Amino acid sequence: MNGIRPDSIQRLSRLMDDATRVSAVAHTHPDGDAVGSTAGILAYLAEKRGKDVAAVFSDSPADTLRFLIPEGVPYLFHDKEPGAALARLRESDLIILMDCNGFSRAEALESTLAGSHARKVLIDHHLDPETEAFDLAFSTPDISSASELLYQILMEMPDIGHDAARLPAATARALMAGMTTDTNNFANSVYPSTLRMASELLAAGVDRDTLLMELYNRYRENRVRVMGYLQHEAMRITPEGVAYIVATREILDRFDVREGETEGLVNVPLSIDAVKMSIFLKEADGCFRVSLRSKKGISAQRCAMTWFHGGGHENASGGKLCWPGDIACREEAAAYLEHVSRNFMP
């Protein structure tokens, strides 16, 4: 059962049966796992349970992830249509929070979620879940992704019966995509269960070659150019083995960078033998969004928690760096990263 209790599956099934209008919510700046897991649960609920479903996000995902959205399933984005997004949440009788450990990670949706009288379910793989806010919680950090956790849950459902071929095609594809992106295409956070999931979904008919084409080979030219510029002109490596890149608003505007087009850049410096940890800062709304990746033996998670108001997984975490507050002005970001390197690295 992979730690998933039968009574929890039975309770989730009853909550689904009793619901009429179901909404799925994920964290702000939705990545492949957020979009994949929400698309996966909604396609299942629509096809297998006949429910009125919708996704509600605080902001829009990258254009390259929109192919995962099931046909006919509405996705409402608070940054585009706040009234419709909040109204949908208020009208829902079941809300499923995917790929985040609490309402605060949905930012603009937090107060509406907290005040909702709907039944609430958490499905997540991050540390410190706010389980007391939910009627039912599935939470474990020892798994590749929220998509894999949802896959294991759905496989226990009576109408699926451990047969991946019974999953809706849109669910199978979305969960494979979410798991693939959160493991950096099987480069990190891979467990035996992750490979079993991939094998079962391939046997069930998921076209992985086409999926990889959609995920990684549909970018604009701008992505390649800004990635090259940032690596050549902006990357610095400290004596302690920390590589960092600061992408300012001027650089992002110069290359007309869209959401998701710097995805994966934080992983690149780890290919350098001397680099033990990589930190990528991207300017957004008066703060830098921070991504951290590390090699085995260096805790990106502890660094994120200590220095960047964040957290995540041992070797893949995130956070933020704001001014004024953490630093006096954005120009001090590089000096701050040098300070982190000197004081955090062994």
Side-chain angles (χ1 to χ4, degrees), residues 19-330:
T20 300
R21 185 173 286 114
V22 186
S23 293
V25 179
H27 57 76
T28 187
H29 310 306
D31 58 6
D33 192 25
V35 178
S37 58
T38 56
I41 189 66
L42 294 180
Y44 166 79
L45 286 166
E47 182 171 325
K48 292 291 188 177
R49 301 289 183 121
K51 302 301 176 180
D52 173 356
V53 299
V56 182
F57 286 174
S58 60
D59 45 10
S60 307
D63 291 342
T64 52
L65 296 174
R66 289 178 180 267
F67 78 96
L68 294 173
I69 297 175
E71 187 174 346
V73 173
Y75 269 60
L76 303 173
F77 307 115
H78 186 271
D79 62 338
K80 303 294 185 185
E81 42 189 343
L86 297 181
R88 173 68 198 199
L89 291 179
R90 295 188 186 105
E91 295 164 358
S92 300
D93 49 13
L94 177 62
I95 294 173
I96 302 176
L97 194 68
M98 299 295 314
D99 195 31
C100 53
N101 59 5
F103 299 144
S104 63
R105 291 285 285 113
E107 293 193 355
L109 308 178
E110 179 181 5
S111 61
T112 302
L113 290 169
S116 170
H117 296 294
R119 297 286 190 173
K120 302 181 186 76
V121 175
L122 176 70
I123 300 177
D124 180 51
H125 67 129
H126 296 94
L127 294 175
D128 304 318
E130 299 171 4
T131 55
E132 67 281 355
F134 297 88
D135 297 277
L136 180 63
F138 298 87
S139 177
T140 175
D142 297 323
I143 200 165
S144 71
S145 55
S147 292
E148 183 185 341
L149 179 55
L150 176 58
Y151 175 78
Q152 293 186 10
I153 291 168
L154 293 180
M155 292 297 282
E156 301 293 339
M157 286 292 178
D159 53 357
I160 302 301
H162 300 276
D163 183 358
R166 294 182 181 176
L167 291 169
T171 294
R173 181 181 66 164
L175 297 186
M176 178 75 94
M179 176 271 292
T180 299
T181 57
D182 237 32
T183 61
N184 188 24
N185 200 12
F186 298 96
N188 51 261
S189 301
V190 175
Y191 297 82
S193 59
T194 313
L195 298 177
R196 284 194 296 271
M197 170 188 176
S199 178
E200 290 165 4
L201 287 175
L202 285 172
V206 172
D207 183 348
R208 179 169 151 80
D209 291 338
T210 299
L211 186 62
L212 292 177
M213 175 68 72
E214 293 287 349
L215 287 173
Y216 300 120
N217 294 328
R218 297 290 189 193
Y219 288 106
R220 300 184 306 148
E221 178 183 340
N222 303 54
R223 167 182 162 86
V224 176
R225 294 195 179 279
V226 74
M227 295 272 273
Y229 176 86
L230 289 170
Q231 290 173 74
H232 187 264
E233 300 293 335
M235 184 175 73
R236 302 291 182 267
I237 302 176
T238 72
E240 298 80 20
V242 174
Y244 65 86
I245 297 173
V246 179
T248 63
R249 173 50 56 192
E250 287 78 9
I251 294 172
L252 300 174
D253 288 345
R254 173 182 169 186
F255 288 91
D256 185 29
V257 174
R258 297 178 184 173
E259 184 66 31
E261 289 188 329
T262 57
E263 189 72 25
L265 176 58
V266 67
N267 298 301
V268 175
L270 291 179
S271 65
I272 301 170
D273 184 46
V275 171
K276 302 173 185 177
M277 184 164 67
S278 172
I279 305 177
F280 176 57
L281 270 59
K282 181 179 178 181
E283 186 176 348
D285 302 323
C287 284
F288 286 108
R289 285 157 52 184
V290 183
S291 298
L292 302 94
R293 301 292 185 270
S294 63
K295 291 178 178 175
K296 188 174 182 179
I298 303 295
S299 178
Q301 177 191 86
R302 187 163 60 85
C303 185
M305 293 175 64
T306 304
W307 298 97
F308 300 106
H309 312 285
H313 305 286
E314 183 67 10
N315 300 117
S317 291
K320 61 183 179 180
L321 180 69
C322 296
W323 68 90
D326 301 314
I327 52 179
C329 60
R330 64 174 190 161

Side-chain angles (χ1 to χ4, degrees), residues 326-338:
D326 301 314
I327 52 179
C329 60
R330 64 174 190 161
E331 287 75 20
E332 291 188 0
Y336 185 87
L337 294 172
E338 295 279 351

